[in-house]
Every structure is written in C-alpha cells, then in structure tokens.
Amino acid sequence: MVKGGNRLQGEVTISGAKNAAVAILPACLLVKDVCRIENLPDIKDVKLFVRILKQLNADVKYIDKNTVEIDCTDVNSYAPSRDLTRRMRGSSYLMGALLGRFSRFSVDPPGGCDFGTRPIDQHIKSFEALGADIDTSRGVINGTADKLSGGSIFFDVVTVGATINAMLAATCADGLTVIENAAKEPHIVDLANFLNNMGANIRGAGTDTIKIKGTKNLHGGTYAIIPDQIEAGTFMVAAAATRGDVVLKNVIPRHLEIISAKLVEAGVNVSDGEDSVRVWVDENKALRHINFSALPYPGFPTDMQPQLVSFLTTIPGTSTAREGVWENRFRYVNELKRMGANIRVEGKLAIIDGVDRLIGANVKATDLRAGAAMIIAGLIAEGTTEITDIYHIDRGYENFEEKFVNLGGDIQRIQVVDDLLD
Ligand code: EPU
C-alpha cells in the first residue's frame, strides 16, 4: 500500500545487479572449485537460482545475505527440475552452462515476464554453431554434443540472453569462438569479467564482437557483482517524480548516463560522483515533456521504460515512449489509466498526455518493472494506491519497500505472499 505525496529525500544504497547475478550463478557450473560471489542481490530470482544449483548437487554456502560460496565440483546432473526453471527467464542460461560443463543439457523452456513472444531461436543457433544438436520436439529443450568446438556466431537480433548463453557454452569449448552483433549490456561485461577472473579468455565484451578462446582450466576465485543499473534508474526516476532529492550510493554513473540524460532533458538535476549519483528537482521547477525510445544498451533500457512512463504521466504536454526491444511491453498502461493517467498505445508507441494529478487506486504489478512503475505512480498520486501481485517486484528488487520508506516514502507491505521460495 502506497500513500502518495511525500518527497523522497536522503540516501539509498543500490544492490548488486539482478541480471548479472542470474548469469554469473550458472557460470559457476563451469568451475570445479569454489567461486565466492559478493554483492549478490538478496532477491527471489537469486534464491531460486541457488535452489536450482543445489538441486544439481552444487555445494552452496551463504556467508551473509549478499555473499555466497559455490562449489560445483560434484554437480552430477544436466537436467534441472522443471518446477524451478519454469519460474524465471534466467534459467535459460542453464542450457549454455550445462552444455559447457557436460556437453549436454535437458532444460524446460524458461518462464519470466510476459512481453509477448520470447523466442530462443538465437540461443539454439549459437549452440549449433559450436557443434551441438538441439531437439525441442517434446516440449523440453535437449542439447547434446560429441565435442563442443569454437565457431562463428552472427546474431540476427541483438539479444542479451543468447549472447550470454553463447559465452557460457564457448568458455570451455575447444578453440576460438567469435560472436558478432553481440549485446553490450553492463551485465554482459560483468559475466566476462567474472569468467576471466576464473581463468577464461574472453575479449571484447561490451562491444559488438566478443572473442572467446576456450579453456578447460577454470579455477575458483572471488568476484563482486556490479551495482544494478535498473534498480538505480528506478530510484532516480522515483526521486524525480516526487520532486525529491536523493543520493544513490554504490552505482556506476557511466551505466546510468542515458537515464540521467532523459531526466535532465525533462528539467531534473543530476550530478555524478565517483560511485554515486544525486538526483533532485529545484523547488517550483516546471518539468518538461520528453520523447524516448527503449533500445539495447547503450540505448535507454527497456527495463526502465514503464518507470519513466509513470513519471511522465503528470508532466504537462505530450510525451512519447517507443518500445524498441519487446513486442508488447505496455500491458501496465491500463493500470496507470485506473489512476487517471491519459495514455494511448498505438502498437509499440505510447502517447502520454500529462494530467494534473494521479489518484490512488487498486492496481496490479503486471510484471517486475511494471510493479516498480506502480510504486512510482503511487508515490505521486493523491491518496492511497494498493498494489497486488508484488511477488513480481520481490523477484528483482532487494528490500524495496524498506529502501523507499528510508527515503520518506509511505509504503507498507500489507500481506506477505509466500511463494515457496523461503
Ligand atoms: N530474441 C529473439 N530470439 C532469441 C532471443 C531474443 O528474437 O533467441 C528477441 C526478443 O524477442 C526481443 C529481443 O530479441 O525482442 C531482445 O531479447 P533479449 O534476448 O535481449 O532478452 P532476454 O535475454 O530474454 C534480458 C533481461 C530482460 C531485459 C532484456 C532486454 C535477463 C534475465 N532478462 O532478457 O530483463 O528486458 O534482456 O534488455 O537478463 C527485467 O529484468 O525486468 C527483464 C525483463
């Protein structure tokens, strides 16, 4: 339950990146030694992944809630349980990781947020380029290879998931793999840094071309996950929307440049420190409407699209948001309309006519980032907003209500939903 009207003020520490964590955890399967991972976000998707690793016979020890030691030496199965994998998208990385480790995998199609069709043709194409046979005919995805060998992979679309899967499969393959038209998101670089730290030879992550010289000699080590670009962006937009003044700590300002640029265009102040960012709005400042397109990195992140639209609902004039990654990522718009927002969706374009105010209503978190958008809308709305299905938010944000409350937001969790993960 969110009561609107409070300006967010103070400091918030950003947690480790969810989408890096769900790539690095399966990467541990390639290492027959202890990987110590620090700055691991304490979120449901991570807990789920840890359960999957344990189910495959990995030895997992939590040192504290954000530090874990994982030893995959005794992993003895290439077939994770369907009950666990179907609950998240990141489980698709088990395909690349298990192929790399055992030259075979048997994994059910992954779950995750619903943005229309989420194909895996590019994942399959990359495994085939490394010499694997993939069979999807019986509802389960089965992969086998006599021997994984380096190969050339040219992606037809820029895809984070397939880039990560190709990297996981190629890390221990024989010879050189070259991935062209690779995704460049910060978590791709983070995965490469993690694997290199464990003895892999990956160059070019963060550019269009990634080159991987396969090696069988991975070893254990310690690695700290990067801060979450999207969690940081969510707090930046929430600070702006409430006309607040918030300092975000433990961030990489370079990863936030495009989010800062859009906020500055709207009239918000953003100032970067070394590993912090301050976001604030001058008193009585009239903010401006803007247009933006969600695109692969370094474009504006699609995972920030709903939150920015929420912010724009009360900015005078007409703003537009174009979704350039997913087929259908505007399902949440109907929820904002229940709060009085004036938004029209035409295909992949949302046209937002700023209204004077939003009014609290009962709304649903239709997916993870849509849930974050509902919180932002609740914080600026008049009255009380009740958000249901917040398990989506728990999948990807650590202590979200506590962090907002510490900044002065009036947020209360009124029902704890136990989804069997604790
Ligand atoms: N695509 C294909 N074929 C494929 C794979 C993807 O056509 O084989 C298309 C998709 O349909 C989509 C585009 O390529 O249109 C991009 O998809 P991508 O593979 O990059 O997405 P993903 O790996 O499934 C990750 C994040 C999402 C984020 C997208 C885009 C994880 C676990 N998920 O998904 O994050 O929206 O990249 O940046 O890393 C979130 O965190 O809320 C979230 C949904």
Side-chain angles (χ1 to χ4, degrees), residues 18-19 118-123 159-161 303 325-326 369:
K18 161 186 162 289
N19 288 344
R118 295 185 72 169
I120 55 163
D121 57 307
Q122 302 299 307
H123 301 241
T159 144
V160 171
D303 294 343
V325 176
W326 295 109
R369 309 304 174 187

Side-chain angles (χ1 to χ4, degrees), residues 48-208:
L48 182 56
F49 231 118
V50 164
R51 269 185 68 171
I52 294 173
L53 291 177
K54 282 183 175 169
Q55 186 249 328
L56 294 173
N57 211 31
D59 183 23
V60 182
K61 278 194 203 83
Y62 264 97
I63 308 304
D64 58 48
K65 73 181 177 47
N66 301 112
T67 310
V68 75
E69 286 181 357
I70 300 176
D71 185 347
C72 288
T73 309
D74 295 330
V75 165
N76 53 12
S77 165
Y78 56 85
S81 143
R82 172 169 193 256
D83 277 354
L84 299 176
T85 57
R86 69 179 166 79
R87 297 200 218 169
M88 68 189 291
R89 191 69 191 173
S91 65
S92 66
Y93 300 149
L94 291 162
M95 297 189 289
L98 291 166
L99 193 60
R101 170 74 186 258
F102 294 115
S103 292
R104 67 186 304 167
F105 67 83
S106 181
V107 177
D108 277 76
C113 297
D114 177 7
F115 314 132
T117 49
R118 295 185 72 169
I120 55 163
D121 57 307
Q122 302 299 307
H123 301 241
I124 292 173
K125 174 174 145 165
S126 68
F127 300 146
E128 287 172 347
L130 303 184
D133 288 321
I134 309 296
D135 175 17
T136 58
S137 60
R138 278 160 291 171
V140 179
I141 312 163
N142 289 303
T144 47
D146 290 339
K147 189 176 106 174
L148 272 192
S149 309
S152 295
I153 300 166
F154 196 110
F155 287 123
D156 302 313
V157 286
V158 178
T159 144
V160 171
T163 302
I164 287 177
N165 251 332
M167 289 166 72
L168 291 169
T171 292
C172 301
D174 270 357
L176 179 70
T177 296
V178 180
I179 306 172
E180 303 276 10
N181 199 23
K184 301 191 278 268
E185 268 65 5
H187 34 292
I188 304 274
V189 179
D190 211 35
L191 173 66
N193 288 341
F194 166 80
L195 286 168
N196 285 341
N197 206 45
M198 306 300 158
N201 187 339
I202 304 176
R203 300 284 169 261
T207 74
D208 298 311

Side-chain angles (χ1 to χ4, degrees), residues 71-386:
D71 185 347
C72 288
T73 309
D74 295 330
V75 165
N76 53 12
S77 165
Y78 56 85
S81 143
R82 172 169 193 256
D83 277 354
L84 299 176
T85 57
R86 69 179 166 79
R87 297 200 218 169
M88 68 189 291
R89 191 69 191 173
S91 65
S92 66
Y93 300 149
L94 291 162
M95 297 189 289
L98 291 166
L99 193 60
R101 170 74 186 258
F102 294 115
S103 292
R104 67 186 304 167
F105 67 83
S106 181
V107 177
D108 277 76
C113 297
D114 177 7
F115 314 132
T117 49
R118 295 185 72 169
I120 55 163
D121 57 307
Q122 302 299 307
H123 301 241
I124 292 173
K125 174 174 145 165
S126 68
F127 300 146
E128 287 172 347
L130 303 184
D133 288 321
I134 309 296
D135 175 17
T136 58
S137 60
R138 278 160 291 171
V140 179
I141 312 163
N142 289 303
T144 47
D146 290 339
K147 189 176 106 174
L148 272 192
S149 309
S152 295
I153 300 166
F154 196 110
F155 287 123
D156 302 313
V157 286
V158 178
T159 144
V160 171
T163 302
I164 287 177
N165 251 332
M167 289 166 72
L168 291 169
T171 292
C172 301
D174 270 357
L176 179 70
T177 296
V178 180
I179 306 172
E180 303 276 10
N181 199 23
K184 301 191 278 268
E185 268 65 5
H187 34 292
I188 304 274
V189 179
D190 211 35
L191 173 66
N193 288 341
F194 166 80
L195 286 168
N196 285 341
N197 206 45
M198 306 300 158
N201 187 339
I202 304 176
R203 300 284 169 261
T207 74
D208 298 311
T209 307
I210 301 177
K211 294 187 178 166
I212 303 171
K213 273 194 204 144
T215 171
K216 304 272 187 251
N217 298 323
L218 297 188
H219 50 71
T222 297
Y223 190 79
I225 291 179
I226 50 166
D228 197 304
Q229 177 205 26
I230 306 302
E231 188 201 0
T234 302
F235 278 100
M236 289 170 77
V237 172
T242 60
R243 310 297 190 266
D245 187 346
V246 172
V247 176
L248 291 87
K249 302 194 126 178
N250 185 37
V251 297
I252 299 176
R254 193 167 36 85
H255 294 165
L256 304 171
E257 275 171 1
I258 182 75
I259 300 166
S260 303
K262 280 293 149 190
L263 289 176
V264 168
E265 213 178 301
V268 176
N269 300 304
V270 181
S271 123
D272 291 352
E274 207 167 293
D275 59 359
S276 65
V277 168
R278 179 181 168 208
V279 180
W280 76 105
V281 177
D282 295 331
E283 220 175 313
N284 299 323
K285 168 108 184 196
L287 297 181
R288 291 182 294 271
H289 55 97
I290 55 169
N291 304 319
F292 75 99
S293 295
L295 293 167
Y297 192 82
F300 189 88
T302 171
D303 294 343
M304 281 300 303
Q305 181 260 93
Q307 299 91 312
L308 195 63
V309 167
S310 224
F311 162 69
L312 294 173
T313 53
T314 59
I315 306 294
T318 303
S319 298
T320 61
R322 184 172 292 282
E323 174 55 46
V325 176
W326 295 109
E327 189 176 89
N328 180 6
R329 202 172 190 169
F330 286 126
R331 286 168 61 227
Y332 70 89
V333 161
N334 282 336
E335 305 301 311
L336 288 180
K337 284 183 173 172
R338 296 162 73 90
M339 300 176 73
N342 185 354
I343 307 175
R344 213 165 65 245
V345 175
E346 292 176 1
K348 290 188 170 187
L349 185 71
I351 301 153
I352 308 127
D353 282 315
V355 292
D356 290 342
R357 62 204 170 124
L358 296 183
I359 312 231
N362 291 348
V363 294
K364 200 160 94 176
T366 51
D367 62 53
L368 167 58
R369 309 304 174 187
M374 291 310 128
I375 290 180
I376 292 171
L379 287 169
I380 58 176
E382 255 180 47
T384 302
T385 299
E386 209 173 295

